[in-house]
């Protein structure tokens, strides 16, 4: 006799109840308006200028060309020619996958200076409200901080809420590269925080970089704080759907393909960032060795095998993360699929001991950031599993500092 707990009718009611919870969450937190975001004006203007530009009498290549082609183009130029392009088209060059990373840093410092000058005028613009002037002052402060000589900005777009990516370590020389993909409420102004530092992308990446250096001092590592997609705001409709994640997945794939060298890449995807990584997984290049998610609402699949990737898939969630109460389903475009830490999903489940809440996974000293660091340097046998059976290490070889196990 079929039990009531497993009857088809009850499963339908469970699905409907879960969907109702989603709608209650949306109603109480506010619906985020769905908009077709046009290409940001400053960046588009720089790209358009590039498309009509020339160097040494020759047309410049299509800025949307494959990163490998753009890399060959820049390699064919003299240092002076590269520098002139960065000065003439700073936003285009600073965001161009395939351009040399040092040139991108230089171009983005120029673009940041230009954006800072614009905001400094807006601070004193009497046509703005006091709130508008305060917002301009906050942006001006952020641009100034990003321009510090010790910072390496891989991508920058000042339009709207803004996008940015920062590198910790020497990217061009790295033997292992890690990418932190953050979730909702990420933009230029939340990219770094003085309070709750390790809940913001810059702090997450800084903590992971330090932990990787502790885990493998002899391994050259680099960590990218990648906030170069338009993340959802709050827990509204955007966060419950995949539109932002699809755009982010395309941008993530392009960024990874534009990285220098051939060293292994590990992705560390937090919250809605794990939706981005889940959608991107099937198209990412083979150099992506690991996809690790923390506090995930789902990866838009029911099983890890459906991600269609050769990368190892890892997952973790701490005991008091509120994300565990979000319905793990996908129905009519709402929701993001199965729970990545569930037994049947098929991910390697890691310990997140000592992490607190939804934003605590990158706090120094936690099992979560230590585990991320061991993955980042390829020391897979050193990770701590969530369960005592060590299942998350099954089938892995020893430390692999420069490649897949």
């Amino acid at each position: 006799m079929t039990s009531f707990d497993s009857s088809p009718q009850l499963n339908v009611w469970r699905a409907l109840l879960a969907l109702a919870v989603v709608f209650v969450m949306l109603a109480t937190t506010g619906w985020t308006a769905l908009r077709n975001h046009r290409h940001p004006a400053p960046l588009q203007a720089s790209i358009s200028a590039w498309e009509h530009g020339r160097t040494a009498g020759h047309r410049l290549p299509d800025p949307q060309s494959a990163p490998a082609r753009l890399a060959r183009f820049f390699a064919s130029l003299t240092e002076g020619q590269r520098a002139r392009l960065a000065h003439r088209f700073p936003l285009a060059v600073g965001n161009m996958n395939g351009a040399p990373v040092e040139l991108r840093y230089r171009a983005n410092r120029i673009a940041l200076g230009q954006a800072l000058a614009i905001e400094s005028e807006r601070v004193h613009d009497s046509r703005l409200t006091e709130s508008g002037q305060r917002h301009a002052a906050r942006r001006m402060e952020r641009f100034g901080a990003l321009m510090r000589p010790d910072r390496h900005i891989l991508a920058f777009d000042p339009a709207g809420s803004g996008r940015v990516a920062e590198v910790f370590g020497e990217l061009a020389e790295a033997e292992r590269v890690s990418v932190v993909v953050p979730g909702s409420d990420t933009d230029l102004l939340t990219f770094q925080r003085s309070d709750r530092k390790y809940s913001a992308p810059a702090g997450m990446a800084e903590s992971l970089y330090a932990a990787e250096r502790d885990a493998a001092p002899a391994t050259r590592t680099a960590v990218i704080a990648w906030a170069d997609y338009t993340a959802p705001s709050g827990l509204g409709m955007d966060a419950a759907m995949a539109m932002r994640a699809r755009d982010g997945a395309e941008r993530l794939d392009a960024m990874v393909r534009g990285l220098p060298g051939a060293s292994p890449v590990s992705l560390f995807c937090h919250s809605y960032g794990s939706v981005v990584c889940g959608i991107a997984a099937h198209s990412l290049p083979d150099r992506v060795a690991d996809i690790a998610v923390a506090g995930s609402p789902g990866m838009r699949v029911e099983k890890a095998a459906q991600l269609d990737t050769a990368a190892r898939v890892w997952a973790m969630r701490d005991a008091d993360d509120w994300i565990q109460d979000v319905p793990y389903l996908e129905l009519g475009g709402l929701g993001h699929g199965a729970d990545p830490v569930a037994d049947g999903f098929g991910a390697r489940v890691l310990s997140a001991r000592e992490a607190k809440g939804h934003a605590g996974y990158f706090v120094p000293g936690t099992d979560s950031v230590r585990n991320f660091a061991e993955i980042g340097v390829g020391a897979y046998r050193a990770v701590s599993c969530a369960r005592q059976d060590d299942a998350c290490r099954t089938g892995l070889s020893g430390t692999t500092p420069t490649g897949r196990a």
Side-chain angles (χ1 to χ4, degrees), residues 178-182 201 204-205 208 223-227 266-270 362:
S178 297
V179 182
V180 174
V181 183
M204 292 176 178
L208 179 57
V223 179
I224 302 171
W226 189 79
S266 298
L267 305 182
F268 299 95
C269 320
H270 177 244
F362 290 85

Side-chain angles (χ1 to χ4, degrees), residues 119 127 135 185 193 198 204 210 229 240 287 300 308 403 405:
E119 297 301 329
R127 293 170 297 180
H135 184 71
D185 293 321
R193 294 188 177 103
Y198 303 109
M204 292 176 178
Y229 79 105
R287 67 185 295 188
R300 303 296 291 186
D308 192 22

Side-chain angles (χ1 to χ4, degrees), residues 34-392:
L34 296 174
R35 301 180 180 91
N36 292 321
H37 285 258
R38 296 180 179 178
H39 206 77
L43 177 55
Q44 183 59 57
S46 187
I47 291 173
S48 295
W50 169 281
E51 290 171 338
H52 293 89
R54 290 179 174 270
T55 185
H58 299 287
R59 293 281 303 271
L60 299 175
D62 182 346
Q64 304 302 323
S65 297
R69 183 188 173 200
L70 291 170
R72 290 193 296 271
F73 164 73
F74 282 104
S76 72
L77 304 178
T78 66
E79 178 59 32
Q81 288 171 329
R82 286 192 287 268
R84 283 191 290 275
L85 289 175
H87 278 273
R88 288 171 60 196
F89 316 108
L91 277 172
V93 174
N95 290 278
M96 195 171 292
N97 296 306
V101 292
E102 293 293 337
L103 188 66
R104 291 180 69 170
Y105 299 159
R106 191 186 318 169
N108 283 319
R109 187 162 287 114
I110 294 168
L112 280 160
Q114 294 174 347
L116 188 150
I118 291 171
E119 297 301 329
S120 66
E121 291 183 2
R122 295 181 72 242
V123 166
H124 303 290
D125 190 339
S126 61
R127 293 170 297 180
L128 294 180
T129 64
E130 289 186 10
S131 176
Q133 291 175 335
R134 286 195 299 270
H135 184 71
R138 290 182 63 200
R139 284 169 61 90
M140 187 174 68
E141 181 181 0
R142 177 50 40 83
F143 296 159
L146 292 172
M147 284 181 67
R148 286 201 326 250
D150 62 331
R151 303 189 73 167
H152 302 119
I153 306 304
L154 186 68
F156 168 65
D157 183 355
S161 59
R163 298 194 295 246
V164 64
E166 181 175 10
V167 176
F168 294 80
E170 298 298 326
L171 183 57
E173 305 299 325
E175 296 172 291
R176 304 279 309 196
V177 178
S178 297
V179 182
V180 174
V181 183
S184 298
D185 293 321
T186 298
D187 56 33
L188 272 170
L189 294 182
T190 60
F191 181 70
Q192 64 186 79
R193 294 188 177 103
S194 53
D195 62 321
R196 297 173 51 224
K197 174 179 179 179
Y198 303 109
S199 67
M204 292 176 178
E206 181 182 345
S207 175
L208 179 57
Y209 180 60
E212 288 183 353
R213 289 172 64 83
D214 287 343
T219 302
R220 296 191 303 274
T221 62
V223 179
I224 302 171
W226 189 79
D228 193 27
Y229 79 105
T230 303
S233 177
L235 295 175
M237 181 65 81
D238 280 358
M241 300 182 73
M243 182 181 70
R244 303 284 188 219
R246 290 192 184 97
D247 175 68
E250 292 182 9
R251 299 182 65 82
L252 179 62
D253 179 71
M255 185 277 293
V256 172
R257 291 181 184 280
L259 292 175
S263 53
V265 174
S266 298
L267 305 182
F268 299 95
C269 320
H270 177 244
S271 193
Y272 189 85
S274 66
V275 186
V276 176
C277 292
I279 293 174
H282 75 281
S283 63
L284 291 166
D286 289 342
R287 67 185 295 188
V288 175
D290 305 280
I291 301 173
V293 302
S296 174
M299 301 180 74
R300 303 296 291 186
V301 294
E302 296 302 311
K303 304 279 187 181
Q306 294 171 344
L307 293 171
D308 192 22
T309 177
R312 285 169 290 268
V313 180
W314 311 81
M316 66 169 68
R317 186 174 65 219
D318 68 60
D320 58 354
D321 188 338
W322 59 260
I323 201 76
Q324 64 190 304
D325 297 322
V326 170
Y328 282 96
L329 56 85
E330 191 280 320
L331 186 62
L334 289 174
H336 301 301
D339 183 354
V341 304
D343 289 339
F345 186 79
R348 299 174 182 272
V349 183
L350 297 161
S351 169
R353 192 178 58 207
E354 293 149 358
K356 301 295 182 184
H358 187 60
Y361 294 97
F362 290 85
V363 174
T366 56
D367 260 17
S368 47
V369 80
R370 282 194 294 266
N371 274 328
F372 283 165
E374 301 292 3
I375 292 169
V377 300
Y380 301 109
R381 293 294 298 171
V383 301
S384 300
C385 301
R387 305 178 181 92
Q388 297 299 318
D389 57 10
D390 294 336
C392 76

